[in-house]
């Protein structure tokens, strides 16, 4: 066993990146808020409503979405004073979530530098969410650019939401056929009873007109409201509306529900890390890839924070973990294996070929039937890993000498990344590396295969990569990246470009 383990010389190594787990991994949502204005009714400075930005922002973020904020003119947005938890009126003093949003410097930078709507690429977002406040009654109602943006996004079939006074755009937003978008739709917005309450509260008429009153003049449109200031939201197809400032979370949750329903509309990538790494190895590419896809990152047993003892892990455990993840996905997936994971994804493809649309090997071991990682790594003359291995006393696991981790794995990484590599490096299960795969032409051979080469690789040598591709004889297309063993760390944008080009 000891002799076999010493062939461990080219065991691949991915890297634990510094990316935060589950932050933005599901894609992006665009929130649209009003620019500052002055009310012609009251003379007040007006804009967006705090809870209608902060509450849905929190809901989307907690669900793993990156949230951008845009406005028609871009730049800074302001909030209606009554919605500020620290306003002297104390009207929103209970709103601790908005208070936290207000006190967070990173969120303040967002609201001071909102995206200009005309410069936004709607293709980058899986949903949009139009916020309310007093401003939209002046800044949104006749904004044809916003109305067109809204209807164009709606016509993609993706979740398209508006709440409170933000729903004022629906009074005039038309489809290409000239009909109002809300014809035949059930929807909601700020109720006339709530307008009356607000008018009574301040002793004057606040708004130039009432959304509900105007909505009820529209034939073949079902405007529906709940009791005043009750959290209430509706979903009619992919149109989602919320009643008022207490409905932001409810509307956002309906958006999330629809996003879950629409996972089937996106390609799904299942990313599998290599040796001495965990799922965060994909941190530099995961979120960007998720803009127009479902992205699932698998954490293999005994890697990262998964606490199974290395001595207990087998190749079958790796295979089962990936298989379970794939079977949870709608339809077929693109299965991506880095380095050591090339062995594992090959066996997965043999076992469930009907679930794999294509296999992508990234500087990975590409075995033939009856081969294992050790037998392949023994043929590698370019790897720096072999002579740097250190084993546990029972040879059940191995590490790389600290001073050799960066040269072998990522010589072209920035210094901070090299430090991360060393910090998170820990023992790798050894048994799976000597276990042979069973592959057949009818199953494994039926799955389309692609290979991304790394020409400066010192973990899995470039020569061995080419040798394995040639031996397989069925790789549909190969790509080259002039990097070390971690192309998705060193050149993430180029890596995404290549990966998404594989159709």
């Amino acid at each position: 066993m000891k002799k076999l383990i010493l062939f461990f010389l080219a065991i691949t190594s991915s890297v634990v990146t510094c990316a935060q787990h589950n932050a933005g991994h599901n894609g992006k949502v665009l929130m649209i808020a009003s620019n500052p204005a002055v009310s012609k009714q009251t003379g007040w400075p007006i804009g967006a409503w705090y809870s209608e930005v902060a509450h849905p922002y929190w809901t989307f973020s907690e669900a793993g979405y990156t949230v951008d904020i845009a406005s028609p003119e871009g730049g800074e947005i302001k909030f209606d004073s009554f919605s500020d938890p620290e306003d002297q009126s104390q009207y929103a003093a209970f709103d601790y979530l908005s208070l936290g949003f207000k006190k967070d410097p990173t969120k303040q930078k967002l609201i001071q530098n909102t995206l200009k709507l005309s410069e936004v690429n709607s293709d980058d977002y899986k949903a949009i969410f139009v916020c309310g406040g007093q401003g939209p009654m002046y800044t949104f109602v006749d904004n044809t650019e916003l109305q067109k943006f809204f209807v164009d996004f709606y016509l993609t079939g993706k979740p398209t939401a508006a709440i409170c006074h933000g729903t004022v755009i629906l009074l005039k937003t038309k489809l290409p056929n000239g009909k109002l978008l809300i014809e035949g739709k059930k929807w909601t917005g700020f109720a006339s009873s709530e307008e009356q309450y607000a008018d009574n509260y301040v002793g004057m008429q606040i708004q130039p007109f009432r959304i509900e009153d105007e909505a009820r003049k529209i034939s073949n449109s079902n405007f529906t409201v709940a009791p005043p200031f009750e959290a209430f939201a509706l979903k009619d197809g992919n149109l989602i509306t919320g009643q008022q400032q207490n409905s932001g979370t409810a509307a956002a949750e309906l958006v999330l529900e629809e996003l879950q329903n629409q996972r089937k509309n996106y390609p799904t990538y299942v990313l599998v890390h290599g040796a001495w790494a965990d799922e965060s190895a994909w941190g530099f590419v995961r979120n960007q890839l998720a803009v127009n896809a479902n992205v699932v990152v698998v954490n293999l047993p005994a890697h990262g924070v998964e606490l199974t003892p290395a001595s207990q892990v087998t190749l079958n455990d790796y295979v089962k973990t990936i298989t379970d993840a794939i079977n949870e996905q709608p339809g077929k997936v693109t299965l991506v294996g880095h380095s050591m994971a090339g062995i594992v994804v090959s066996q997965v493809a043999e076992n469930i070929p009907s679930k794999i649309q294509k296999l992508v090997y990234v500087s990975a071991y590409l075995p033939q039937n009856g081969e294992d990682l050790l037998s392949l790594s023994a043929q590698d003359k370019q790897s720096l890993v072999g002579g740097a291995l250190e084993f546990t006393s029972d040879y059940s696991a191995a590490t790389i000498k600290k001073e050799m981790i960066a040269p072998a794995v990522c010589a072209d990484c920035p210094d901070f990344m090299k430090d991360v590599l060393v910090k998170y490096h820990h023992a790798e299960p050894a048994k799976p590396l000597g276990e042979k795969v069973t592959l057949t032409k009818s199953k494994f051979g039926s799955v389309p295969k692609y290979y991304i080469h790394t020409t400066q690789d010192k973990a899995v040598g470039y020569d061995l990569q080419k040798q394995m591709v040639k031996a397989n004889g069925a790789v549909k297309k190969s790509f080259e990246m002039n990097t070390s063993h971690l192309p998705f760390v060193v050149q993430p944008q180029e890596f995404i470009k290549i990966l998404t080009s594989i159709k």
Side-chain angles (χ1 to χ4, degrees):
M1 177 64 179
K2 179 176 179 179
K3 185 175 181 180
L4 283 175
I5 292 293
L6 292 175
F7 279 110
F8 212 42
L9 37 117
I11 292 176
T12 115
S13 139
S14 304
V15 52
V16 177
T17 75
C18 59
Q20 181 181 354
H21 290 243
N22 298 331
H25 65 283
N26 278 329
K28 299 173 71 175
V29 173
L30 181 70
M31 298 182 68
I32 303 171
S34 172
N35 291 108
V38 175
S39 171
K40 295 179 180 179
Q41 291 292 124
T42 64
W44 299 339
I46 55 177
W49 197 271
Y50 249 117
S51 65
E52 296 173 36
V53 175
H55 292 199
Y57 186 102
W58 175 263
T59 302
F60 294 135
S61 297
E62 283 290 282
Y65 288 87
T66 297
V67 182
D68 289 339
I69 302 177
S71 60
E73 297 175 10
E76 187 173 14
I77 60 173
K78 298 285 189 177
F79 292 95
D80 296 328
S81 60
F82 280 111
S83 74
D84 186 337
E86 296 185 305
D87 184 67
Q88 64 180 4
S89 70
Q90 295 291 288
Y91 184 81
F94 67 93
D95 188 358
Y96 297 112
L97 189 56
S98 293
L99 181 62
F101 189 95
K102 179 181 179 181
K103 296 298 185 181
D104 185 342
T106 63
K107 304 304 181 290
Q108 288 304 300
K109 287 183 180 179
L110 282 177
I111 65 173
Q112 290 166 7
N113 299 281
T114 64
L115 303 172
K116 187 174 183 179
L117 191 63
S118 62
E119 298 174 357
V120 169
N121 182 357
S122 61
D123 292 340
D124 289 343
Y125 300 94
K126 290 182 173 176
I128 63 171
F129 192 98
V130 177
C131 307
Q134 296 182 50
M137 296 294 283
Y138 292 91
T139 62
F140 286 1
V141 63
D142 291 313
N143 192 316
T144 56
E145 178 186 61
L146 173 58
Q147 293 166 11
K148 185 177 187 307
F149 186 93
F150 191 90
V151 78
D152 287 348
F153 195 89
Y154 170 80
L155 290 171
T156 68
K158 294 186 286 189
T160 307
I163 63 169
C164 195
H165 288 102
T167 62
V168 71
I169 65 171
L170 295 174
L171 295 175
K172 297 185 179 181
T173 297
K174 294 184 178 181
L175 298 169
N177 62 9
K179 293 184 177 180
L180 288 171
L181 186 155
I182 53 172
E183 289 190 37
K185 293 289 184 181
K186 188 175 183 179
W187 62 294
T188 189
F190 204 76
S192 293
S193 59
E194 292 162 340
E195 294 283 18
Q196 189 62 54
Y197 174 89
D199 290 353
N200 293 345
Y201 186 83
V202 300
M204 71 177 85
Q205 181 178 327
I206 298 175
Q207 301 297 353
F209 60 90
R210 294 178 174 181
I211 293 173
E212 180 177 359
D213 292 351
E214 297 303 310
R216 297 200 182 282
K217 298 175 185 177
I218 301 171
S219 61
N220 191 29
S221 178
N222 186 357
F223 188 87
T224 304
V225 296
F229 301 105
E230 179 179 302
F232 181 63
L234 290 169
K235 180 165 76 74
D236 190 334
N238 63 310
L239 177 66
I240 295 161
T241 50
Q243 185 165 318
Q244 39 22 33
Q245 68 265 31
N246 298 326
S247 306
T249 296
E253 287 174 346
L254 288 181
V255 171
L256 294 177
E257 178 184 294
E258 183 61 19
L259 284 168
Q260 184 63 29
N261 293 338
Q262 293 194 10
R263 282 178 59 84
K264 63 182 182 297
N265 298 338
Y266 295 92
T268 299
Y269 293 88
V270 176
L271 309 179
V272 187
H273 63 80
W276 297 303
D278 68 5
E279 51 90 10
S280 66
W282 303 100
F284 283 90
V285 297
R286 182 185 188 184
N287 289 7
Q288 185 59 39
L289 185 60
V291 167
N292 290 298
N294 305 314
V295 181
V296 179
V297 291
V298 176
N299 200 89
L300 297 175
H303 290 258
V305 296
E306 210 290 322
L307 300 179
T308 302
S311 60
Q312 297 178 14
V313 175
T314 68
L315 178 61
N316 281 338
D317 294 323
Y318 286 168
V319 170
K320 183 179 185 302
T321 298
I322 299 170
T323 301
D324 289 347
I326 291 172
N327 284 333
E328 292 177 357
Q329 308 311 313
K332 292 186 175 184
V333 308
T334 294
L335 181 57
V336 182
H338 176 240
S339 197
M340 172 272 289
I343 297 288
V344 193
V345 299
S346 297
Q347 190 62 63
V348 171
E350 169 69 21
N351 294 357
I352 53 169
S354 63
K355 285 288 291 182
I356 315 298
Q357 186 176 40
K358 48 185 171 286
L359 277 172
V360 181
Y361 294 83
V362 182
S363 52
Y365 289 99
L366 174 51
Q368 298 186 74
N369 181 46
E371 290 186 328
D372 56 57
L373 187 145
L374 296 179
S375 63
L376 288 170
S377 66
Q379 304 170 42
D380 194 343
K381 307 303 181 183
Q382 297 174 310
S383 175
L384 297 179
V385 177
L389 292 176
E390 296 180 325
F391 297 91
T392 56
S393 59
D394 62 355
Y395 290 93
S396 65
T399 58
I400 303 175
K401 293 177 182 179
K402 286 187 176 181
E403 65 271 18
M404 289 303 296
I405 293 172
V409 177
C410 199
D412 51 356
C413 282
D415 289 342
F416 84 90
M417 197 66 245
K418 293 175 181 177
D419 292 340
V420 169
L421 283 168
V422 174
K423 180 179 180 180
Y424 288 98
H425 187 82
H426 68 81
E428 169 78 11
K431 187 175 181 180
L433 306 166
E435 294 183 279
K436 301 182 185 302
V437 293
T438 301
L439 308 175
T440 63
K441 185 175 181 180
S442 61
K443 294 181 179 180
F444 173 69
S446 68
V447 179
K449 301 171 187 65
Y450 301 83
Y451 201 103
I452 300 176
H453 292 286
T454 43
T455 62
Q456 304 302 314
D457 206 315
K458 299 301 180 184
V460 179
Y462 180 45
D463 289 346
L464 178 61
Q465 294 175 30
K466 292 187 293 182
Q467 176 184 319
M468 291 185 293
V469 168
K470 182 178 180 180
N472 179 270
V475 173
K476 294 177 70 68
K477 188 173 183 179
S478 294
F479 305 85
E480 289 190 355
M481 294 186 67
N482 187 30
T483 72
S484 67
H485 194 51
L486 304 176
F488 39 80
V489 172
V490 181
Q491 295 181 15
Q493 294 304 315
E494 179 64 18
F495 179 82
I496 291 173
K497 181 179 178 181
I498 291 173
L499 186 61
T500 55
S501 74
I502 302 173
K503 303 300 182 181

